[in-house]
Amino acid sequence: MGTVEQARAAAPPKHARGAAFALFSVCLGYFMVLLDGSALNIALPSIQHDIHGSLATLQWLVNIYTIPLACLLLSSGVLADRAGSRRVFMVALTGFVLMSLACALSVNVAMLIACRALQGISAAGVLPTTLAIIARSYPDLAERAKAITAWGATGGIALVLGPIGGGWLTQSLGWRAIFLVNLPVGLLALWLSFRYAKETERRHAASYDLPGQACAIAGLGLAVAALIEGGALGWGDPVTLALGAAGVLALALFVYVENKAASPMLPFEMFRRHAFTAAAVSGFAFQFGTFGLQFIVAIFVEEAWGYSPLQAGFLLLPFAILLTIGTSFLNRLWKARGMRWLLINGSCVATLGALACLAASTPSTWPALTIGFAFTGLGAGILAPSINGAALAEVDNQFAGLASGVLNTFRQMGLAVGVAVLGAVLSTAGSSTGLRIDLVVGVVSFVTVIVLAARHIRR
């Protein structure tokens, strides 16, 4: 009898087990969304060969996911406030799983691109709700901090497993397996969230700002389309010029709408604080340089050097590992030195890594590309968490959620534009020359972070 009582006493409380399973469910959703992107980069050349697409097609496969994700992050947070984060998480995750299956079953380029767009819309509903569910499951601040640490580590694991897992799946089972692997993971996450996650408090939130949403999606989409098609069709082509002009017009209309809206999606008064603006632009430049280059390097080594998907995955693995170490360990170790120090020194390491990659020219010089790009990942990992910290230090606590949404929007926009610009350079200038130009552009993006942090982020 005493043994039974001791076992019951040793067992964790029921609510603790439920919170742990709820945390596991949102971590699985977060893991799946990040893994899908990092694994897809390795599979892109195989997709190109299978569906006979161009480099512009590959850029669209990435950006047609990123653009709606970037533009809908803010409004999905408002939706979660009204409908409940658990409900939005489950609906969005269901959409992500179904669109993953549709991507795997795609019979042509048009279907694949359309399904990727719907995946991006679904991901915009998954990402903002994960932290809200964690906060509801862990009311104690100390326990919540541990849960958020586990959530963050999940992202690092996804970045590490993405290149190798994507390479192995593509080489062994084909690129469609990249999407099919989401099905069991997503279904498990859905069951756990249905069984254990608690609904968050609902409250009347501000307007969805539908005109602003429409203008943002149109403006960013058309501008990115102009960059992608410019590399494929030529910068003087009428289609490129028309897309560019329409994009500029839509973005100008977005600025006008946001200035007039009672509850704007992107309140411009936030940018009156120079430090916040510097952090937001740094987030754009960070994603532009880091993950824009990851996209380019993955394509380059498979197309120009003839690497298999698995070989390309191993070449990018040190980048992912050191990015995770920089984010999860070094940034916290040196956090006492301040956000400014981390931004400047992390960007310096990333800059030196990108410069070292310039020594790579032939397949025999692969160590220069691997080692240099690994240091780029290390530097990016050191600076990445400090971008949000530097910005949130400049806003009132009541606006922390909105500020975080703005920053994540800028970061996703940086990824979309980075893929478009660097891909257009690679397409226009040719493989080896294009890679060198892209690396220099990446260096400029990291130096931009150094300059902004030195001038505007307080010590």
Side-chain angles (χ1 to χ4, degrees):
M1 190 71 172
T3 304
V4 174
E5 291 176 351
Q6 290 173 359
R8 288 176 177 173
K14 185 177 180 180
H15 69 83
R17 292 198 302 271
F21 281 123
L23 172 63
F24 187 46
S25 72
V26 297
C27 284
L28 282 176
Y30 183 52
F31 173 85
M32 187 171 63
V33 170
L34 292 188
L35 183 71
D36 188 80
S38 60
L40 181 68
N41 280 338
I42 299 298
L44 286 173
S46 296
I47 295 175
Q48 181 183 24
H49 293 153
D50 189 30
I51 62 178
H52 307 294
S54 63
L55 177 59
T57 301
L58 303 187
Q59 291 171 280
W60 273 118
L61 286 176
V62 174
N63 279 336
I64 203 66
Y65 175 92
T66 306
I67 291 170
L69 172 60
C71 295
L72 294 175
L73 277 174
L74 294 177
S75 286
S76 62
V78 177
L79 176 62
D81 286 340
R82 287 182 168 180
S85 294
R86 174 180 175 270
R87 178 177 296 178
V88 173
F89 174 78
M90 293 186 64
V91 171
L93 191 61
T94 300
F96 193 90
V97 171
L98 291 175
M99 287 306 104
S100 296
L101 176 61
C103 285
L105 299 177
S106 295
V107 295
N108 53 45
V109 175
M111 181 178 176
L112 183 56
I113 289 177
C115 294
R116 282 288 289 167
L118 294 173
Q119 257 194 326
I121 294 172
S122 300
V126 171
L127 292 181
T129 53
T130 54
L131 287 176
I133 293 173
I134 290 174
R136 176 69 175 85
S137 302
Y138 291 90
D140 180 75
L141 294 181
E143 293 300 316
R144 184 185 300 175
K146 294 178 183 177
I148 291 175
T149 299
W151 173 86
T154 301
I157 295 171
L159 290 176
V160 170
L161 292 181
I164 293 299
W168 180 80
L169 286 171
T170 302
Q171 193 163 318
S172 302
L173 304 173
W175 62 266
R176 297 177 191 274
I178 296 291
F179 298 105
L180 289 174
V181 75
N182 290 334
L183 271 62
V185 178
L187 291 174
L188 176 59
L190 280 170
W191 183 82
L192 289 172
S193 60
F194 174 77
R195 179 71 176 81
Y196 296 104
K198 298 178 181 178
E199 187 56 273
T200 58
E201 181 181 354
R202 303 179 196 178
R203 63 180 182 271
H204 179 70
S207 153
Y208 290 114
D209 186 19
L210 294 180
Q213 284 287 342
C215 293
I217 294 174
L220 182 58
L222 290 167
V224 170
L227 293 170
I228 292 174
E229 297 304 326
L233 303 176
W235 300 108
D237 187 87
V239 173
T240 303
L241 296 175
L243 288 171
V248 171
L249 180 61
L251 290 173
L253 185 59
F254 170 73
V255 173
Y256 174 80
V257 167
E258 295 303 279
N259 279 322
K260 295 293 184 180
S263 300
M265 181 187 79
L266 187 63
F268 291 119
E269 61 266 21
M270 298 184 69
F271 298 101
R272 292 174 184 170
R273 299 190 179 189
H274 292 171
F276 179 84
T277 303
V281 176
S282 294
F284 180 97
F286 156 73
Q287 295 277 129
F288 181 103
T290 304
F291 296 105
L293 286 177
Q294 184 192 40
F295 168 81
I296 291 302
V297 169
I299 291 176
F300 175 82
V301 297
E302 292 188 50
E303 291 294 301
W305 287 1
Y307 276 33
S308 68
L310 187 58
Q311 289 173 322
F314 274 109
L315 185 139
L316 289 175
L317 183 61
F319 163 82
I321 291 175
L322 289 183
L323 178 69
T324 304
I325 291 174
T327 302
S328 304
F329 177 68
L330 293 181
N331 183 276
R332 295 176 186 173
L333 178 66
W334 293 328
K335 192 173 183 178
R337 294 179 179 269
M339 302 298 175
R340 184 175 183 268
W341 188 93
L342 289 165
L343 286 170
I344 292 174
N345 286 276
S347 298
C348 286
V349 174
T351 298
L352 293 175
L355 288 172
C357 291
L358 291 171
S361 57
T362 62
S364 62
T365 59
W366 66 266
L369 190 59
T370 299
I371 296 172
F373 203 45
F375 274 95
T376 295
L378 178 65
I382 293 171
L383 72 93
S386 301
I387 293 172
N388 280 17
L392 294 178
E394 298 296 325
V395 298
D396 297 332
N397 288 336
Q398 60 181 323
F399 298 113
L402 177 60
S404 180
V406 171
L407 282 168
N408 283 313
T409 299
F410 266 72
R411 289 173 70 152
Q412 293 299 325
M413 286 168 57
L415 171 58
V417 176
V419 167
V421 170
L422 300 183
V425 170
L426 189 69
S427 175
T428 303
S431 56
S432 296
T433 303
L435 177 65
R436 284 182 168 78
I437 296 174
D438 282 341
L439 288 168
V440 172
V441 175
V443 167
V444 172
S445 70
F446 296 130
V447 171
T448 299
V449 178
I450 296 172
V451 173
L452 290 172
R455 286 179 59 89
H456 298 293
I457 305 300
R458 292 180 291 181
R459 292 182 182 274

